[in-house]
């Protein structure tokens, strides 16, 4: 299969370009211009990074809640001007979100790309990969992203602004965000990888951040997208997913029930996509990577659409070629120790 | 002559506490009879008047860095003092690099670049500046660093007019945490003789205690290693469980 026809390869190229731009963007757009771009580019890269061209929407959201709304509420003052910055933040996020929907996660996020690259390295190292997590485990993990959004991005910054909790919790998600460490490391800075001993709160947060980063480094080798599953960005996207122009649609057939290849291909283990009879199957955990469309063997059953324009529609010929390309890429898998013992 | 933040009046806090649109006062040290101006990001100049060398800068309604400029000429001596101040307001749509590069005085020290969002000048780090004379880089000229903590040292610009200043680790006391340490001031000054005319300039800014005092990268790396081991353990256990099934 020629690589320019392979959606996964196209996506990787886009991800690589996005990674270079988002992590080293100020080299291209200028040191100060980076801040301007940053205000409008809500993906998981951040202002702590020296060369970045973007800025995560979660930073202003936490700061506006923690530094403005919280203190104002605690002083008994409330006005429209207090929530206007929050609405502006969400508004700019929404404009870009309408254009790209959850494809932010699957096509642009630097941390998502990094995890996928580690996954590819894991495949090439022939590490015994866990292609799909247990259904029960997936169900247990799913609420975590809402908890991360609700607690770390909204409640704790607000509580910090109101004075109920310490300053440490003014922007708690940034404090534990693995993308902050990742993008700054790629920009040649070690200054975001630290243990902060200035207070117990900061110390705990920095330990969580570094532990989480180490955990992701290893888990990504054998598991698909470990951090994406708990990312608050995924939850924020899920809230607005119906307004985005990029859609994942399905024309259910009776074969879908027995097949399930789409669910197996899904890096987020969304098993519902193969049983769902809905037309719109953009689930809260979806990152719009398009793998389900690629691995659907039936013509026109699944499609990735931009508004009404089909970008990728499932096709048996493509499926065959894509499967071959996948097998060629994976090579012979090392049998597990149990299989070896049985032999 | 150089700019410095005005001493905080008792009970008034720092420039209005958390109100980022509050007016901010500066004093021009040894700046009698100098003409003062505020240049906004669009390079529009507003004349300022000082009271006992003290000026109060009110929000201009425009976001981003503004330049405080003091100029004084007497006989053959031409002096300037520059300081950059961030103001909140509507986005100007202009890059601060335009303001930094704008010729504000004949001899000038241009930050290359100035600290931006989430960045600040820190002790024990290098800061870069471009020395310009009549808008052109000035090579092999001396730049003197003086800090409010008592450090003085001298540096020389290279062939491109660039000078790298290692900001000293000279805070007398360091407390753990960003909030526990007050910023200090540094002043860069340069002189240049052009025939019979003498030019001097200063650039002042604040700098802060480097957080490396309470943030350990070594410990951070060790914890990342711990996380990796934990990740390995989870992978091993998951695999064992799968094999048992």
């Amino acid at each position: 299969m020629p690589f320019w026809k392979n959606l996964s390869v196209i996506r990787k190229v886009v991800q690589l370009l996005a990674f270079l731009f988002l992590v080293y963007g100020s080299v291209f757009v200028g040191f100060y211009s980076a801040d301007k771009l940053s205000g409008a580019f809500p993906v998981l890269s951040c202002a702590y990074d020296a060369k970045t061209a973007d800025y995560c929407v979660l930073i202003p959201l936490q700061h506006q809640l923690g530094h403005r709304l919280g203190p104002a509420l605690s002083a008994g003052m409330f006005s429209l001007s207090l929530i206007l910055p929050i609405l502006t933040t969400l508004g700019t996020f929404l404009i870009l979100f309408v254009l790209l929907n959850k494809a932010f996660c699957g096509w642009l996020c630097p941390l998502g790309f990094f995890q996928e690259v580690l996954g590819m390295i894991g495949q090439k190292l022939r590490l015994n990969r866990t292609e799909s997590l247990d259904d029960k485990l997936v169900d247990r993990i799913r609420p975590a992203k809402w908890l991360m959004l609700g607690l770390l991005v909204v409640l704790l910054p607000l509580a910090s602004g109101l004075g109920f909790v310490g300053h440490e919790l003014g922007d708690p998600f940034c404090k534990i965000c693995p993308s902050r460490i990742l993008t700054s490391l790629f920009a040649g800075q070690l200054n975001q990888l630290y243990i902060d001993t200035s207070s117990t709160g900061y110390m705990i947060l920095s330990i969580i951040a570094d532990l989480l980063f180490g955990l992701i480094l290893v888990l990504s080798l054998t598991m698909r997208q470990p951090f994406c599953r708990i990312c608050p960005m995924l939850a924020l996207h899920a809230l607005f997913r119906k307004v985005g122009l990029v859609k994942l649609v399905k024309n259910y057939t009776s074969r879908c029930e027995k097949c399930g290849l789409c669910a197996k291909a899904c890096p987020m283990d969304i098993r519902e996509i193969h049983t769902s009879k809905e037309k719109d199957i953009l689930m809260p955990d979806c990152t719009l990577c398009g793998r389900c469309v690629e691995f659907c063997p039936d013509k026109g059953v699944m499609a990735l659409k931009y508004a009404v324009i089909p970008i990728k529609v499932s096709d048996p010929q493509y499926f065959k070629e894509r499967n071959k390309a996948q097998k060629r890429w994976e090579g012979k898998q090392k049998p597990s120790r149990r299989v070896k013992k049985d032999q | 002559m150089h700019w410095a933040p005005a001493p905080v009046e008792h009970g008034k806090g720092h420039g209005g506490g958390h109100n980022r649109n509050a007016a901010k006062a500066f004093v021009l040290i040894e700046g009698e009879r100098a003409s003062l101006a505020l240049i906004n990001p669009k390079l529009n100049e507003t004349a300022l008047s000082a009271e006992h060398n003290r000026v109060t800068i009110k929000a201009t309604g425009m976001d981003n860095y503004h330049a405080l400029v003091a100029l004084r000429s007497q006989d053959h001596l031409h002096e300037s003092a520059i300081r950059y101040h961030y103001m909140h307001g509507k986005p100007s749509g202009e890059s601060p690099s335009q303001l930094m590069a704008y010729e504000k005085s004949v001899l000038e020290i241009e930050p290359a670049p100035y600290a931006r969002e989430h960045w600040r000048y820190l002790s024990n780090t290098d800061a870069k500046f471009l020395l310009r004379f009549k808008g052109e880089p000035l090579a092999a000229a001396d730049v003197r660093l003086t800090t409010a903590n008592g450090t003085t040292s001298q540096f020389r610009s290279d062939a491109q007019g660039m000078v790298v200043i290692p900001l000293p680790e000279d805070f007398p006391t360091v407390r753990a945490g960003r909030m526990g340490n007050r910023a200090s001031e540094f002043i860069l000054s340069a002189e240049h003789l052009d025939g019979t005319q003498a030019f001097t300039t200063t650039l002042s800014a604040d700098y802060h205690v480097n957080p490396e005092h309470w943030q350990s990268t070594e410990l951070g790396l060790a914890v990342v290693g711990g996380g990796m081991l934990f990740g390995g353990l989870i992978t091993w256990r998951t695999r064992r469980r799968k094999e048992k099934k």
Side-chain angles (χ1 to χ4, degrees):
Chain A
M1 176 182 224
F3 68 87
W4 64 85
K5 282 189 179 174
N6 187 329
L7 187 68
S8 290
V9 175
I10 296 168
R11 193 169 63 86
K12 290 284 182 304
V13 173
V14 174
Q15 282 179 304
L16 177 65
L17 293 174
F19 186 91
L20 292 175
F21 180 69
L22 298 175
V23 177
Y24 304 104
S26 70
V27 176
F28 307 114
V29 300
F31 183 76
Y32 300 110
S33 310
D35 270 0
K36 298 287 141 210
L37 273 176
S38 69
F41 236 109
V43 286
L44 259 182
S45 179
C46 84
Y48 292 94
D49 172 6
K51 295 188 172 70
T52 187
D54 76 332
Y55 192 102
C56 174
V57 73
L58 302 176
I59 295 178
L61 206 53
Q62 289 171 93
H63 282 192
Q64 283 155 358
L65 288 167
H67 294 177
R68 283 177 67 83
L69 190 62
L73 288 178
S74 114
M77 294 186 297
F78 185 79
S79 65
L80 187 67
S81 65
L82 280 170
I83 53 165
L84 217 53
I86 299 170
L87 294 177
T88 310
T89 299
L90 289 174
T92 49
F93 166 78
L94 206 61
I95 292 168
L96 283 158
F97 187 81
V98 167
L99 295 175
L100 291 171
N101 205 336
K102 288 163 75 69
F104 265 133
C105 300
W107 292 71
L108 294 178
C109 173
L111 184 60
F113 175 60
F114 181 66
Q115 290 174 93
E116 284 192 46
V117 170
L118 283 180
M120 287 159 71
I121 293 169
Q123 271 179 338
K124 282 293 154 196
L125 291 175
R126 297 187 180 278
L127 297 175
N128 208 341
R129 289 175 54 79
T130 308
E131 284 306 326
S132 297
L133 296 182
D134 285 344
D135 293 352
K136 277 183 191 168
L137 184 60
V138 172
D139 289 342
R140 275 210 298 269
I141 293 171
R142 277 181 181 173
K145 62 181 178 295
W146 295 106
L147 201 69
M148 296 277 273
L149 179 68
L151 199 67
L152 298 185
V153 179
V154 180
L155 286 180
L156 286 176
L158 198 57
S160 167
L162 287 165
F164 295 137
V165 294
H167 275 294
E168 296 93 330
L169 297 171
D171 52 358
F173 177 68
C174 293
K175 295 280 186 302
I176 66 153
C177 176
S179 192
R180 173 178 57 87
I181 299 173
L182 172 83
T183 52
S184 55
L185 279 178
F186 268 91
Q189 292 170 262
L190 261 176
N191 63 355
Q192 294 303 319
L193 204 162
Y194 56 75
I195 295 298
D196 192 321
T197 53
S198 60
S199 75
T200 314
Y202 280 127
M203 191 191 281
I204 292 170
L205 287 168
S206 56
I207 289 174
I208 294 172
D210 294 344
L211 263 178
L212 196 58
F213 186 66
L215 205 61
I216 289 163
L217 285 179
V218 170
L219 288 184
S220 299
L221 290 167
T222 57
M223 186 192 289
R224 297 187 291 183
Q225 311 297 95
F227 184 75
C228 298
R229 296 163 193 267
I230 60 165
C231 180
M233 233 17 190
L234 192 71
L236 197 62
H237 283 165
L239 283 176
F240 299 104
R241 71 185 190 278
K242 296 290 177 194
V243 299
L245 288 172
V246 190
K247 301 276 180 197
L248 186 64
V249 293
K250 181 181 173 185
N251 295 308
Y252 177 81
T253 70
S254 53
R255 275 167 53 82
C256 291
E257 208 64 61
K258 296 168 196 160
C259 172
L261 285 176
C262 55
K264 275 185 190 159
C266 176
M268 299 295 283
D269 293 314
I270 309 171
R271 58 184 184 278
E272 295 88 343
I273 50 175
H274 93 91
T275 51
S276 175
K277 292 177 182 172
E278 300 285 320
K279 184 97 178 156
D280 180 358
I281 52 161
L282 187 57
M283 305 289 174
D285 278 9
C286 181
T287 61
L288 277 173
C289 66
R291 272 177 69 88
C292 52
V293 182
E294 285 189 279
F295 286 93
C296 173
D298 291 334
K299 194 167 180 66
V301 167
M302 295 192 87
L304 204 56
K305 286 186 173 178
Y306 197 87
V308 289
I309 307 157
I311 305 166
K312 184 82 200 158
V313 182
S314 61
D315 176 75
Q317 189 56 37
Y318 178 89
F319 168 74
K320 274 184 198 166
E321 288 180 24
R322 180 69 184 83
N323 241 347
K324 270 186 202 167
Q326 186 67 24
K327 279 178 184 157
R328 250 200 321 276
W329 161 257
E330 284 174 8
K332 279 186 182 173
Q333 289 294 308
K334 191 173 81 174
S336 71
R337 279 180 295 145
R338 179 62 121 189
V339 175
K340 274 184 190 168
K341 271 185 199 169
D342 292 346
Q343 284 169 352
Chain B
M1 109 180 138
H2 69 269
W3 288 104
V8 179
E9 287 175 40
H10 189 69
K12 285 198 175 177
H14 283 275
H18 287 295
N19 183 3
R20 58 188 196 166
N21 294 319
K24 175 101 179 165
F26 293 92
V27 283
L28 185 64
I29 313 286
E30 297 169 4
E32 290 78 15
R33 296 183 306 281
S35 60
L36 314 177
L38 180 74
I39 306 178
N40 74 12
K42 289 186 182 291
L43 309 181
N44 297 321
E45 281 190 45
T46 313
L48 296 172
S49 56
E51 202 174 310
H52 304 295
N53 283 347
R54 182 186 170 109
V55 290
T56 302
I57 312 293
K58 288 180 184 164
T60 58
M62 200 180 284
D63 201 70
N64 229 317
Y65 287 104
H66 291 58
L68 263 171
V69 182
L71 300 172
R72 183 170 60 187
S73 288
Q74 198 173 13
D75 301 328
H76 302 294
L77 177 64
H78 309 280
E79 295 170 279
S80 63
I82 296 169
R83 187 180 181 98
Y84 295 96
H85 176 52
Y86 197 94
M87 289 201 211
H88 295 274
K90 286 181 185 167
S92 66
E94 305 294 342
S95 167
S97 45
Q98 186 176 285
L99 178 70
M100 306 287 161
Y102 177 65
E103 197 178 329
K104 295 172 278 294
S105 68
V106 181
L107 180 67
E108 189 177 339
I109 301 167
E110 178 192 332
Y114 201 75
R116 63 169 164 93
E117 172 102 17
H118 281 252
W119 280 35
R120 39 178 62 193
Y121 288 125
L122 296 174
S123 60
N124 201 23
T125 58
D126 288 345
K128 285 183 186 170
F129 301 89
L130 172 68
L131 193 60
R132 289 195 322 242
F133 180 68
K134 293 183 177 169
E136 296 298 318
L138 184 64
D142 289 334
V143 176
R144 194 168 53 256
L145 167 79
T146 313
T147 73
N149 293 330
T151 302
T152 51
S153 41
Q154 193 141 311
F155 304 90
R156 181 159 276 228
S157 63
D158 65 14
Q160 284 75 43
M162 294 296 294
V163 59
V164 179
I165 309 282
L167 293 173
E169 188 67 87
D170 61 356
F171 284 84
T173 51
V174 174
R175 288 186 191 158
R178 212 175 91 173
M179 311 286 268
N181 297 287
R182 279 198 170 186
S184 188
E185 285 281 308
F186 73 85
I187 304 152
L188 294 178
S189 52
E191 296 171 9
H192 182 64
L193 274 174
D194 186 36
T196 56
Q197 305 295 306
F199 297 86
T200 70
T201 188
T202 62
L203 172 77
S204 56
D206 56 4
Y207 71 113
H208 301 253
V209 173
N210 196 319
E212 67 190 9
H213 285 283
W214 56 89
Q215 291 179 346
S216 163
T217 302
E218 291 78 10
L219 276 177
L221 282 166
V223 176
V224 169
M228 290 172 79
L229 281 176
F230 187 44
L233 187 71
I234 293 175
T235 309
W236 177 74
R237 280 194 62 181
T238 315
R239 196 179 300 169
R240 290 278 292 178
R241 261 190 219 155
K242 244 185 187 172
E243 285 172 356
K244 276 181 188 170
K245 279 180 190 173

